[in-house]
Amino acid sequence: MSHPFVLLISASLTDEMAIIQEGYAFIPKEFSLESYKFLFSDPLMIINAYSISIIVTLIGTFASLLIMALLAYPLSRKIMPMRNSLSFFIFFTMLFNGGLVPTYLLYTNFFDVKNSLLALIVPGLLVNAFYVILLRTFFHVSIPSAIIESAYIDGAGEFRIFCQMVLPLSMPVLATVGLFQIINYWNDWFNGLIYITDSSYYSIQILLNTILLNAQYLIDNVQYSTEMENAGTIPTQGVRLAIAVIGVFPILAAYPFFQKYFVKGLTIGAVKG
């Protein structure tokens, strides 16, 4: 599994002409940092984009887990009225949605999230129907009803039971869903493409996509321009690989901290104790 990433990093550190002439290799034929120099030609821009992505990922993941857990827990309780109807309504959103144009008009004209951090947090990411159903199933199957009943006898309310008993017992599934949400928020570029026009709100994915498109534009149009004689030296192949390295590295760094919960969260309930 690590071989593709090693090849990716090695190729991003290889000279452009060496890649074109000899292809990719695990050991660079000719070491070069030109791709990264091109990407970091404006380091403040990269730092700002990383900051936006980190803020959006942390806030979005925390808010998403909190909202989905608060929604899933009542649905797992048999005493909740109309829980089946509400569960069907949530499931229905997995099959049908309002479409891109109505969604865009709703978020820009009514909620006014354009060119804001909310545009990168809320649309299409904050609540995921599949994760809500996953959490509801975990709460229903894996949280012993005897624990909740004993807490009732001791006088605890629903919110206290949820915070002090249900959440601590649900760390595997919360970590699993949290990892998925971290990946979703970090890799998201569509919301930025639709709702962000101010470059100061560019996430790292939007910025890297913009850099890649600009580099490709220069290469494709260099023959029509006399003012871009050096544009042909842009390492387009290396830039693509360097973009992939910069985009995926934080996720690779975070994954080991979630791995034990991730595996347990996926397998929980598969075997009865």
Side-chain angles (χ1 to χ4, degrees):
M1 290 294 290
S2 61
H3 291 171
F5 295 110
V6 173
L7 181 62
L8 176 68
I9 295 173
S10 175
S12 69
L13 296 172
T14 304
D15 182 72
E16 181 78 3
M17 292 306 299
I19 294 177
I20 296 174
Q21 294 174 0
E22 303 184 27
Y24 303 109
F26 284 102
I27 300 177
K29 299 293 184 180
E30 186 175 342
F31 184 81
S32 174
L33 292 175
E34 289 302 317
S35 299
Y36 291 96
K37 289 180 180 179
F38 177 80
L39 286 180
F40 285 93
S41 57
D42 187 353
L44 292 179
M45 182 173 59
I46 296 288
I47 293 173
N48 178 74
Y50 258 121
S51 301
I52 294 294
S53 288
I54 292 172
I55 292 172
V56 167
T57 300
L58 293 179
I59 295 177
T61 300
F62 175 79
S64 177
L65 279 176
L66 180 62
I67 293 172
M68 290 191 294
L70 287 172
L71 176 58
Y73 175 66
L75 294 178
S76 69
R77 306 284 287 121
K78 294 181 179 180
I79 62 174
M80 179 183 175
M82 300 181 64
R83 72 187 187 98
N84 290 332
S85 299
L86 184 56
S87 296
F88 174 78
F89 176 77
I90 294 172
F91 174 75
F92 186 82
T93 63
M94 295 176 61
L95 307 177
F96 303 98
N97 60 64
L100 178 59
V101 173
T103 301
Y104 176 82
L105 293 176
L106 177 67
Y107 279 113
T108 55
N109 295 341
F110 186 77
F111 293 111
D112 193 26
V113 301
K114 190 173 183 179
N115 287 327
S116 69
L117 291 180
L118 288 177
L120 301 174
I121 294 175
V122 177
L125 294 172
L126 187 62
V127 177
N128 185 296
F130 174 75
Y131 297 153
V132 172
I133 294 174
L134 182 66
L135 290 168
R136 183 205 64 177
T137 304
F138 183 92
F139 293 151
H140 179 70
V141 174
S142 301
I143 304 298
S145 58
I147 294 179
I148 298 177
E149 291 173 2
S150 63
Y152 272 131
I153 295 174
D154 292 337
E158 289 286 356
F159 187 74
R160 184 176 180 182
I161 293 173
F162 174 75
C163 293
Q164 296 186 358
M165 305 187 71
V166 175
L167 290 184
L169 293 174
S170 304
M171 286 304 297
V173 72
L174 292 175
T176 301
V177 174
L179 178 61
F180 285 145
Q181 284 295 83
I182 287 174
I183 294 173
N184 290 336
Y185 274 109
W186 185 266
N187 289 336
D188 178 65
W189 58 271
F190 186 74
N191 281 349
L193 181 67
I194 299 298
Y195 300 106
I196 301 298
T197 57
D198 185 351
S199 60
S200 62
Y201 288 100
Y202 277 3
S203 67
I204 190 65
Q205 302 297 341
I206 291 296
L207 178 62
L208 295 178
N209 183 61
T210 303
I211 292 174
L212 179 60
L213 292 177
N214 289 342
Q216 189 61 48
Y217 176 83
L218 291 176
I219 294 300
D220 292 342
N221 295 275
V222 66
Q223 57 181 325
Y224 304 107
S225 175
T226 58
E227 299 178 357
M228 299 181 180
E229 295 180 356
N230 62 337
T233 63
I234 295 176
T236 52
Q237 295 292 332
V239 165
R240 291 188 179 96
L241 300 169
I243 284 173
V245 171
I246 292 175
V248 78
F249 180 76
I251 298 298
L252 293 178
Y255 180 76
F257 298 99
F258 290 86
Q259 185 175 10
K260 63 177 182 178
Y261 294 111
F262 180 71
V263 174
K264 186 176 180 181
L266 289 180
T267 59
I268 196 76
V271 180
K272 293 184 178 180

